Amino acid sequence: MLTTLVGKLAAQSFFKHPGILVSIEQLDYVKQRITAGEEPWSSVFDVVKQDSLAKLDYQPDPWFAVNCGSYSRPNWGCSDEIKDARAAYTQALLWYYSGDKVYAENAINIINAWSYNFTGGHSGANEVLQASWAGALWPRAAEIIRHTYDGWKNKDVQQFENMLRMQYLPSVTKSIVCYHGNWLAASIEARANIAIFLEDIKLYRKAIRMWRESVPAYIYLESDGILPRQLPGCWRNKQKLIAYWQGQRTFVNGLTQETCRDLEHMAYALAGFINVAETAYIQGLDLYGEQEERFTSVMEFHTKYKNKGSIPHYICNREFKLDMKGTLEIAYNHYAVRRSNRKDLPHTWQWLSERWPAKGHFHYVWEILTHGNIGNAGID
């Protein structure tokens, strides 16, 4: 009956459903391996079930309005919003992988709690970023529930859609074109995910256009010239561009706009850009292919020096602050497993394998569980 429901919904849609970051084929692939006790999925599944986000008695903490300052100061609902959105996605995954309806009902309870209570929107210095992180997560969780479980009432789905339109889109679509790349990436991912859930083709196409403009301006290649590309509408002055790149004056393949800031913020950006590429791939558009050199360069460049611990003097004053833990798994699966070229990304493979299972941050979570070594998983 479930297969028939999914097929019926897909036949009526411009988009493939479920189709935000994970497809039904990918979910089935991982579920089969967990059931068979295969690794790494089985062990990671056990880890996820023990996490606080996966509690069988999980209770959400919805707010009427969320006010987030820089670095979440003030933190009026910021942490609770992200925690609950990550929990909804975690519970949705566990529902599908385990078949335990408690997880599905938990996910619905979390989503409904926010849909009916959160009517005051976002504010504060981090308004766009906060709304984008959560705006990327909520549709991801809701997409799985809506298209694989028959217990979410239509009126509640409609209320959730209203929340996306009224409480998230006004914030995530605000202009931030000259901000740090991680803001742009999160905003683009939120737009794309909301668009797919709402069947908003115009919004989706706008997100794809923004992705195509932003990725080449965030990840440098020597073919760009002596200076990185600029975002439309931003600086034309060399000194301002260098300042935007954290004062870095020597540019090499794979360097990003936030590398010399710290790798954690860079990971926020890479996760957003990669997630959109994966979602687009599920929807039949190969953004991965359009920016293969940039993505593989950024992955190998940073993991090489993280593995070796020795950074050239002309890169970020020989220091990479913080880490990228929790991301790169999805892009690695595409370039090295889905396309059967594992040997082409040796530094990335070493870096990832030494950090399993990584939970992730904010808008990215449990990448190893959803995409670790799954290859194509029947998407084509």
Side-chain angles (χ1 to χ4, degrees):
M1 184 178 85
L2 187 56
T3 302
T4 302
L5 173 63
V6 172
K8 184 176 180 181
L9 288 169
Q12 300 171 347
S13 171
F14 174 84
F15 296 103
K16 178 176 180 177
H17 298 291
I20 299 175
L21 195 65
V22 292
S23 66
I24 197 70
E25 293 88 356
Q26 292 170 319
L27 289 168
D28 283 339
Y29 182 91
V30 174
K31 181 175 182 176
Q32 290 165 8
R33 270 115 196 105
I34 291 172
T35 302
E38 296 181 23
E39 298 296 347
W41 307 279
S42 182
S43 293
V44 175
F45 179 66
D46 289 337
V47 169
V48 175
K49 286 196 299 181
Q50 299 304 313
D51 193 84
S52 61
L53 298 176
K55 289 181 178 179
L56 289 170
D57 59 352
Y58 188 95
Q59 295 299 315
D61 294 299
W63 287 60
F64 163 76
V66 173
N67 184 325
C68 301
S70 180
Y71 294 95
S72 293
R73 294 190 293 268
N75 184 345
W76 296 344
C78 318
S79 297
D80 286 335
E81 181 183 28
I82 297 301
K83 173 178 64 69
D84 284 348
R86 284 161 65 87
Y89 177 55
T90 299
Q91 299 269 347
L93 289 174
L94 291 177
W95 138 247
Y96 198 83
Y97 292 150
S98 71
D100 188 340
K101 292 185 178 181
V102 173
Y103 290 119
E105 292 296 329
N106 283 347
I108 290 171
N109 182 51
I110 298 167
I111 294 170
N112 285 352
W114 278 86
S115 297
Y116 285 96
N117 287 283
F118 181 49
T119 58
H122 296 86
S123 61
N126 268 19
E127 172 191 349
V128 176
L129 186 60
Q130 174 75 19
S132 296
W133 285 338
L137 284 163
W138 289 123
R140 203 185 301 165
E143 181 85 349
I144 295 172
I145 297 298
R146 186 180 193 179
H147 297 284
T148 69
Y149 184 68
D150 59 6
W152 196 13
K153 296 178 182 178
N154 287 336
K155 68 179 183 67
D156 296 335
V157 175
Q158 292 172 5
Q159 183 68 22
F160 175 70
E161 291 178 341
N162 289 338
M163 180 180 74
L164 293 180
R165 291 189 181 96
M166 304 303 294
Q167 312 308 325
Y168 285 91
L169 281 180
S171 293
V172 305
T173 56
K174 285 188 174 181
S175 177
I176 51 168
V177 69
C178 299
Y179 279 53
H180 284 299
N182 79 87
W183 284 57
L184 284 168
S187 171
I188 292 167
E189 184 185 2
R191 292 172 191 235
N193 293 1
I194 292 172
I196 291 171
F197 192 86
L198 297 180
E199 289 284 335
D200 188 330
I201 300 170
K202 183 178 179 180
L203 179 64
Y204 178 74
R205 288 174 174 163
K206 172 65 174 178
I208 298 303
R209 288 198 298 272
M210 291 178 66
W211 189 96
R212 284 172 164 154
E213 292 174 349
S214 300
V215 172
Y218 188 77
I219 304 170
Y220 176 81
L221 290 178
E222 291 174 5
S223 58
D224 295 333
I226 60 173
L227 292 173
R229 294 190 188 185
Q230 298 193 42
L231 289 162
C234 287
W235 312 274
R236 293 293 179 264
N237 180 287
K238 176 181 177 181
Q239 293 307 118
K240 288 185 177 180
L241 182 62
I242 289 174
Y244 180 61
W245 279 67
Q246 322 301 321
Q248 181 67 21
R249 293 177 177 273
T250 302
F251 301 96
V252 296
N253 282 345
L255 192 76
T256 78
Q257 183 262 319
E258 290 179 289
T259 297
C260 298
R261 181 185 185 187
D262 63 68
L263 299 194
E264 185 171 310
H265 281 88
M266 184 189 78
Y268 302 161
L270 292 182
F273 289 136
I274 290 167
N275 288 352
V276 173
E278 181 70 9
T279 294
Y281 193 81
I282 292 170
Q283 299 299 334
L285 176 63
D286 187 10
L287 295 178
Y288 281 123
E290 293 182 18
Q291 295 298 342
E292 178 174 352
E293 187 177 0
R294 291 186 198 276
F295 277 132
T296 54
S297 293
V298 76
M299 293 161 68
E300 285 292 275
F301 173 75
H302 292 87
T303 56
K304 172 184 176 181
Y305 291 118
K306 289 299 291 185
N307 293 338
K308 289 174 55 178
S310 176
I311 304 169
H313 67 88
Y314 51 85
I315 300 295
C316 305
N317 295 320
R318 286 185 168 173
E319 181 182 14
F320 280 172
K321 299 175 183 177
L322 305 180
D323 206 345
M324 305 170 284
K325 188 177 181 182
T327 191
L328 302 187
E329 195 73 55
I330 297 174
Y332 180 83
N333 176 70
H334 178 80
Y335 292 116
V337 184
R338 183 179 276 157
R339 295 184 51 187
S340 302
N341 293 319
R342 183 185 295 272
K343 66 181 186 303
D344 290 344
L345 298 172
H347 301 299
T348 307
W349 168 249
Q350 178 186 341
W351 184 84
L352 285 170
S353 62
E354 292 173 354
R355 287 161 175 79
W356 281 350
K359 184 175 181 179
H361 299 281
F362 298 112
H363 61 306
Y364 57 100
V365 60
W366 310 128
E367 290 187 358
I368 180 63
L369 181 62
T370 57
H371 290 81
N373 290 328
I374 68 169
N376 206 46
I379 290 180
D380 288 343

